[in-house]
């Protein structure tokens, strides 16, 4: 049987989602706890990879097992065994052709920023000390929807077969006088892509890059021409969608 598990995590203490040879990851912790509870080796496949320090508000993964269990009880036991920074929402049986990664049709990320010192935001939002033109950045966000090759925002040396992505939404939203977030939805994302996109949009917002230059960055497909990669702590995987 195949099962989907829905969960969230604070990524501050983890070396990303994917298992690493030297470092604790969310995947390794989820596999360890599921294996202990089901008393067999369990392999977990996630909906995607998040980098070191990135968080997830709603992540999906699947695993296969012939063990018989009560999903609600297993969810409760799993939450008792996992660290406090990983929380499981539920476990459900799915068809064997459902795949956490390849069956996903869209993923949504948010990047949070604030402009006034706030001790309650410091771990999950980036404090900025300069003025930004959010309307201009939203114009640049709409430019992203016109393209499908985002090699300019892919981390150098990434072992990806293609840099093609279909972005359907890219917009800054204001939540208070001093807080904003950038939301972006696409069918897939490249490694480090969202943080590089945000860094480049901030260059536009600071008027250090024009919209024409922003287009040239995308069309040039060179990571060195785009903005800096912004800190991981303010990035959240907000949702994964399936048909």
């Amino acid at each position: 049987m195949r099962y989907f598990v829905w969960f969230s995590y604070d990524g501050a203490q983890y070396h990303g989602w994917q298992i690493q040879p030297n470092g604790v990851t969310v995947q390794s912790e989820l596999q360890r706890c599921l294996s202990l509870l089901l008393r067999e080796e369990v392999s977990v496949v996630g909906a995607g990879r998040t980098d070191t320090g990135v968080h997830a508000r709603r992540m999906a993964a699947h695993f296969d097992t012939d063990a018989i269990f009560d999903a609600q009880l297993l969810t409760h036991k799993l939450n008792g065994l996992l660290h406090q920074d990983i929380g499981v929402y539920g476990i459900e049986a799915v068809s064997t052709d459902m795949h956490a990664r390849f069956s996903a049709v869209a993923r949504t990320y948010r990047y949070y920023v604030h402009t006034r010192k706030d001790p309650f935001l410091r771990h999950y939002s980036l404090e900025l000390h300069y003025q930004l033109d959010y309307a201009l950045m939203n114009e640049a966000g709409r430019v992203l929807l016109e393209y499908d090759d985002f090699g300019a925002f892919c981390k150098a040396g990434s072992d990806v077969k293609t840099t093609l992505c279909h972005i359907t939404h890219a917009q800054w939203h204001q939540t208070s006088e001093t807080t904003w977030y950038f939301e972006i939805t696409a069918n897939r994302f490249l490694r480090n892509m969202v943080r590089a996109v945000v860094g480049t949009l901030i260059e536009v917002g600071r008027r250090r890059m024009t919209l024409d230059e922003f287009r040239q960055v995308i069309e040039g497909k060179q990571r060195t021409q785009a903005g800096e990669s912004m800190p991981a702590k303010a990035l959240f995987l907000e949702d994964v969608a399936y048909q």
Side-chain angles (χ1 to χ4, degrees):
M1 287 285 293
R2 175 157 292 181
Y3 295 87
F4 260 44
V5 52
W6 295 93
F7 56 102
S8 62
Y9 55 85
D10 180 332
Q13 302 302 317
Y14 295 96
H15 292 263
W17 158 258
Q18 191 175 21
I19 290 176
Q20 304 291 336
N22 300 305
V24 179
T25 68
V26 179
Q27 184 183 26
S28 64
E29 283 301 289
L30 193 57
Q31 284 190 177
R32 179 183 67 83
C33 293
L34 276 171
S35 297
L36 283 171
L37 292 172
L38 296 176
R39 299 182 181 181
E40 65 181 36
E41 284 296 319
V42 174
S43 178
V44 175
V45 178
R49 304 175 184 177
T50 55
D51 294 333
T52 298
V54 175
H55 318 291
R57 214 176 298 276
R58 190 170 186 265
M59 174 68 149
H62 78 250
F63 64 94
D64 297 325
T65 181
D66 292 325
I68 298 174
F69 58 86
D70 178 278
Q72 187 173 357
L73 181 59
L74 182 59
T75 299
H76 176 72
K77 289 183 176 180
L78 196 54
N79 277 324
L81 196 57
L82 286 163
H83 295 289
Q84 291 295 314
D85 48 17
I86 304 176
V88 176
Y89 297 145
I91 298 171
E92 60 179 335
V94 296
S95 61
T96 54
D97 62 346
M98 279 290 289
H99 193 284
R101 180 181 176 189
F102 298 124
S103 297
V105 296
R107 297 159 175 85
T108 297
Y109 281 88
R110 287 182 181 178
Y111 195 90
Y112 294 83
V113 301
H114 58 286
T115 58
R116 182 179 63 195
K117 186 176 182 180
D118 188 327
F120 301 107
L121 294 178
R122 69 189 189 281
H123 296 306
Y124 305 106
S125 177
L126 180 65
E127 185 177 338
L128 300 177
H129 301 283
Y130 37 76
Q131 293 294 318
L132 292 175
D133 186 335
Y134 290 94
L136 186 60
M137 289 195 293
N138 276 337
E139 286 189 54
R142 289 189 287 274
V143 168
L144 290 170
L145 276 59
E146 301 174 17
Y147 293 87
D148 57 12
D149 192 328
F150 298 99
F153 306 119
C154 184
K155 186 172 183 178
S158 295
D159 57 344
V160 292
K161 296 180 180 179
T162 175
T163 52
L164 299 179
C165 306
H166 179 55
I167 297 177
T168 56
H169 177 78
Q171 186 175 356
W172 288 90
H173 300 266
Q174 186 172 15
T175 53
S176 77
E177 184 181 346
T178 59
T179 57
W180 297 75
Y181 67 81
F182 174 68
E183 183 173 270
I184 184 168
T185 300
N187 63 327
R188 65 188 291 264
F189 288 92
L190 308 171
R191 187 178 179 189
N192 210 229
M193 177 175 166
V194 180
R195 292 158 60 195
V197 166
V198 172
T200 311
L201 289 176
I202 286 177
E203 290 294 293
V204 173
R206 298 181 72 179
R207 296 187 176 275
R208 304 203 303 191
M209 180 184 293
T210 67
L211 289 177
D212 284 341
E213 290 170 337
F214 184 69
R215 286 183 180 276
Q216 291 170 17
V217 167
I218 300 173
E219 293 170 2
K221 304 175 186 178
Q222 297 297 315
R223 179 65 187 91
T224 54
Q225 300 303 308
E228 67 176 305
S229 179
M230 305 308 285
K233 67 175 185 177
L235 181 60
F236 285 73
L237 172 62
E238 291 286 336
D239 195 18
V240 183
Y242 297 87
Q243 286 183 333

